[in-house]
Each structure stands twice: as C-alpha cells, then as structure tokens.
C-alpha cells in the first residue's frame, strides 16, 4: 500500500506538472498570437511600442518603461503604468543610467541581476543580434521573473523587434521612393524648362526681328519669319499637349477616342508638326502594305510619332536618315 501510494503520488505530481506546462504553453501561444495580430495592425514605432507594452502589462501585471534608440543613444522614455500601480518615478536619472548601460552593452541590467541591481526595474535590450532598437524596463519590485514569464517576455520583445525592424525598413523604402520621385520630378522640370525655352526664344527672336526690321525686309523674308513663328508656336502647342496628356494618363483620367484611321495619313499629320530642324535630317516613310487601317486614338498616336521623331532629330547628327515604318 505504501509503494502504491508513493507511485500514485508521484504520477499525480507529474500529471499536475504536465498539465501546468501545457497550460503555460497554451497561454504563451495565445499571448504571442494576440501580440502578432496587434503589431501587424500598427505602422509606426510608437504604436508598436504601445501595443507591446500593453501585452507585457497584461502578462506581468507590472509597470513598463520603454526607451527607443536612434542608433546612437536612447530617446526620451515612455512610461506605461498599470491601473493599480503605486510605483514611484521609474524614469529618474539613476534608472536612465542603468537603461543606458543595458543599451550600450546589449545585456540585461538592473533589479534581480548582478549588474546595477539597485535599480527598480529590470532592463532588457530590445535587439536583433548586435543591433539594439531600444531598452525595455520591467518594474519587478525586487522579485525575479519565473522561467515562464521570462520566456514569454523575451518572445514578445522578439515580436516587437521584428515589427520595429519592418517599420524602419518601410520608412527607408518610402523615403528612397520619395527621393527618387523628387529627383525624377526635378529632372522632368529641367527638361520641360529647356524644351519650353527653345520655341519661346525662337518666337520672341523672330517677333523682335519683325518689329525692328519689318520695313527693311522683303516679302519673302517676312513670310519666312511669319512661318518660323507659326512653326515654333505649333511646336510649343504640341509640347504642352503632350504634357497635359501625360498628366491625364498618370491621373487615370485619359479618355481614348478611337476610330479606324489610315496610318499613312496619321504619319503625314505628325510630320506636319515636326520642328523645322527636321530639314537638317532625311525622313523616310515606308509601309509593309499599301494601306494599313488601325483602330486608334489618332491624336495621341500623332503625339507619339512627334515625340519619337523629335527625339531622333535631337539626338542624332545633322544629315542622319530617320526611317518611319508601319507594319500590320
């Protein structure tokens, strides 16, 4: 009977211990799942820290102090107090010094440790390997955390670090995209300014020439000057139309007006608006068939051809041959 009682008591103790461990495991899994769900909803560092501190207070029923880092030093701490807290100030100069030691040495410090144990809080680095994102302080009241609490605490801080890292990476990516967009915008403005200046300079020069020398000019020269002003103004109009078209397309507001068009006529219309520098190049038009009909927005396709040919004129030597070929 004694042996049976001893065995039964031992088995009962083991069962209780197993049940306790299973309950701890289930609770730990639940807490981590809730933490992950909460942190996934947050986009910035402060929201991530607030959600993490809330989970730690729920688990430990203790006050929490969090110091974020800019990579070089700790920022102003954020204090999270439980509802029934009677704690004194946990962000005194002495407490900050202990938190700073934990940050710089990437180790635990403060209460219940062998390092600066006179502190009121246990300080843990919020880290990934050697990179420390901040320090979390737990007001343990001199009572060490048990192994289960410590395990869940480290797991929650691990979740916090992952989301802080993700948040910083997203901000860096957004900043990089913003910088790239600003660079593209600056380049576009420079290009537009240059392209606008060219026809405007030509128009104002021709107009000034007419004002100063109108009576001295022959009819042929005056007609040529008026033609130059007209050509440059059409070039300017086409440029502005292109910019407006791009703006509408990027804004999703473009409305295509499609119709069946003869491609030879579309190309001919585009070449009428090519700037007069085209006279310095040879433009040849060919087609795979005698007649090619296409279902297009003729106005936009004309602008496309103008852009392509203008680029060809601008970026090739004088005397180059530019070929425009249409194919079914």
């Amino acid at each position: 009977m004694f042996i049976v009682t001893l065995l039964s008591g031992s088995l009962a103790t083991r069962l209780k211990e197993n049940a306790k461990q299973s309950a701890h495991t289930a609770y730990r899994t639940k807490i981590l799942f809730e933490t992950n769900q909460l942190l996934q909803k947050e986009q910035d560092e402060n929201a991530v820290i607030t959600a993490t501190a809330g989970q730690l207070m729920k688990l430990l029923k203790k006050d929490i102090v969090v110091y974020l880092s800019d990579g070089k030093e700790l920022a102003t701490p954020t204090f999270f107090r439980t509802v029934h807290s009677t704690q004194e100030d946990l962000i005194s100069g002495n407490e900050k010094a202990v938190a700073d030691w934990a940050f710089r040495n990437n180790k635990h410090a403060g209460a219940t440790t062998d390092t600066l144990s006179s502190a009121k809080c246990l300080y843990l680095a919020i880290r990934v390997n050697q990179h420390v994102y901040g320090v979390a302080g737990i007001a343990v009241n001199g009572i060490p955390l048990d192994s289960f609490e410590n395990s869940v605490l480290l797991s929650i801080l691990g979740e916090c670090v992952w989301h802080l890292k993700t948040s910083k990476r997203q901000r860096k990516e957004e900043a990089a995209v913003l910088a790239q967009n600003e660079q593209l915008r600056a380049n576009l403005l420079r290009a537009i300014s240059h392209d606008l200046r060219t026809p405007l300079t030509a128009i104002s020069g021709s107009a000034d020439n007419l004002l100063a020398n109108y009576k001295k000019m022959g009819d042929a020269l005056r007609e040529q000057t008026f033609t130059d002003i007209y050509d440059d103004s059409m070039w300017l109009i086409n440029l502005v139309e292109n910019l407006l078209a791009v703006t509408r397309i990027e804004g999703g507001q473009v409305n295509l007006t499609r119709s069946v068009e003869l491609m030879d006529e579309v190309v001919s219309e585009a070449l009428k608006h090519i700037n007069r520098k085209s006279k310095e190049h040879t433009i040849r038009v060919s087609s795979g068939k005698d007649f090619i009909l296409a279902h297009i927005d003729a106005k936009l396709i004309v602008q496309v051809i103008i852009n392509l040919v203008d680029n060809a004129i601008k970026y090739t030597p004088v005397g180059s041959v530019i070929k425009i070929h249409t194919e079914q």
Side-chain angles (χ1 to χ4, degrees):
M1 289 177 65
F2 173 75
I3 292 172
V4 170
T5 302
L6 182 63
L7 291 174
S8 299
S10 177
L11 290 173
T13 301
R14 286 187 182 182
L15 287 172
K16 288 180 181 179
E17 187 65 28
N18 288 337
K20 183 179 179 181
Q21 290 180 356
S22 297
H24 280 175
T25 302
Y27 183 69
R28 178 177 180 273
T29 303
K30 179 183 176 183
I31 288 290
L32 292 180
F33 180 71
E34 288 179 356
T35 302
N36 183 267
Q37 284 189 316
L38 284 173
L39 296 182
Q40 282 183 354
K41 298 176 182 177
E42 309 302 344
Q43 300 297 325
D44 60 84
E45 285 185 348
N46 292 330
V48 170
I49 289 301
T50 300
T52 301
Q55 288 298 96
L56 291 178
M57 287 192 293
K58 180 179 179 180
L59 171 70
L60 304 174
K61 305 295 189 294
K62 301 180 186 299
D63 294 344
I64 308 294
V65 181
V66 179
Y67 297 78
L68 282 176
S69 163
D70 60 2
K72 296 181 179 179
E73 59 184 20
L74 295 178
T76 303
T78 305
F79 184 31
F80 301 91
R81 189 185 296 271
T82 57
V83 177
H84 303 292
S85 173
T86 58
Q87 287 288 339
E88 299 177 8
D89 186 14
L90 298 179
I91 51 177
S92 62
N94 180 60
E95 294 294 317
K96 290 180 181 179
V98 180
D100 189 64
W101 188 95
F103 167 69
R104 299 192 181 282
N105 292 274
N106 195 5
K107 294 180 179 179
H108 296 1
T112 72
T113 71
D114 296 329
T115 305
L116 305 172
S117 57
S118 61
K120 296 177 181 178
C121 290
L122 166 64
Y123 291 96
L124 305 92
I126 304 173
R127 67 187 185 182
V128 172
N129 298 324
Q130 298 304 312
H131 187 89
V132 181
Y133 288 88
V135 173
I138 316 297
V140 294
N141 299 321
I143 302 173
L145 301 177
D146 61 36
S147 58
F148 171 72
E149 289 176 331
N150 190 63
S151 172
V152 180
L153 169 61
L154 294 178
S155 298
I156 291 176
L157 290 181
E159 285 285 336
C160 175
V161 167
W162 189 87
H163 284 84
L164 285 176
K165 184 178 179 181
T166 302
S167 175
K168 285 192 174 183
R169 185 172 65 249
Q170 287 176 342
R171 289 203 306 276
K172 286 183 179 179
E173 290 174 354
E174 290 172 358
V177 170
L178 183 60
Q180 184 179 16
N181 287 342
E182 288 299 324
Q183 184 62 44
L184 290 172
R185 188 176 291 108
N187 292 340
L188 179 61
L189 287 174
R190 280 194 293 270
I192 290 172
S193 298
H194 178 268
D195 287 346
L196 289 175
R197 191 182 300 114
T198 301
L200 286 173
T201 301
I203 291 170
S204 61
S206 297
D208 183 64
N209 189 29
L210 282 172
L211 289 171
N213 304 300
Y214 185 82
K215 293 182 179 179
K216 299 177 183 179
M217 292 179 174
D219 291 341
L221 183 56
R222 282 198 292 267
E223 185 176 350
Q224 182 60 49
T225 305
F226 283 127
T227 302
D228 291 344
I229 291 175
Y230 174 79
D231 289 341
D232 286 323
S233 64
M234 290 304 299
W235 181 11
L236 185 59
I237 290 171
N238 286 327
L239 179 60
V240 173
E241 284 292 327
N242 286 340
L243 294 175
L244 292 175
V246 169
T247 303
R248 288 194 296 268
I249 290 171
E250 289 185 345
Q253 300 173 347
V254 65
N255 294 316
L256 298 179
T257 306
R258 294 188 177 188
S259 58
V260 177
E261 302 289 343
L262 185 63
M263 285 308 300
D264 288 346
E265 293 181 356
V266 173
V267 174
S268 298
E269 180 64 24
L271 293 181
K272 290 179 182 178
H273 302 289
I274 300 299
N275 70 77
R276 63 175 179 270
K277 288 185 180 180
S278 62
K279 295 177 181 178
E280 300 173 352
H281 294 69
T282 300
I283 300 178
R284 296 176 182 171
V285 181
S286 61
S287 176
K289 292 182 179 180
D290 292 336
F291 300 103
I292 296 180
L293 296 175
H295 189 232
I296 56 173
D297 186 318
K299 184 177 180 181
L300 293 181
I301 297 300
V302 164
Q303 290 179 9
V304 169
I305 297 172
I306 291 172
N307 290 344
L308 292 173
V309 176
D310 276 345
N311 283 337
I313 293 170
K314 185 175 181 179
Y315 296 108
T316 58
V318 173
S320 297
V321 177
I322 300 170
K323 299 179 181 178
I324 303 173
H325 180 76
T326 54
E327 187 78 29
Q328 185 72 43

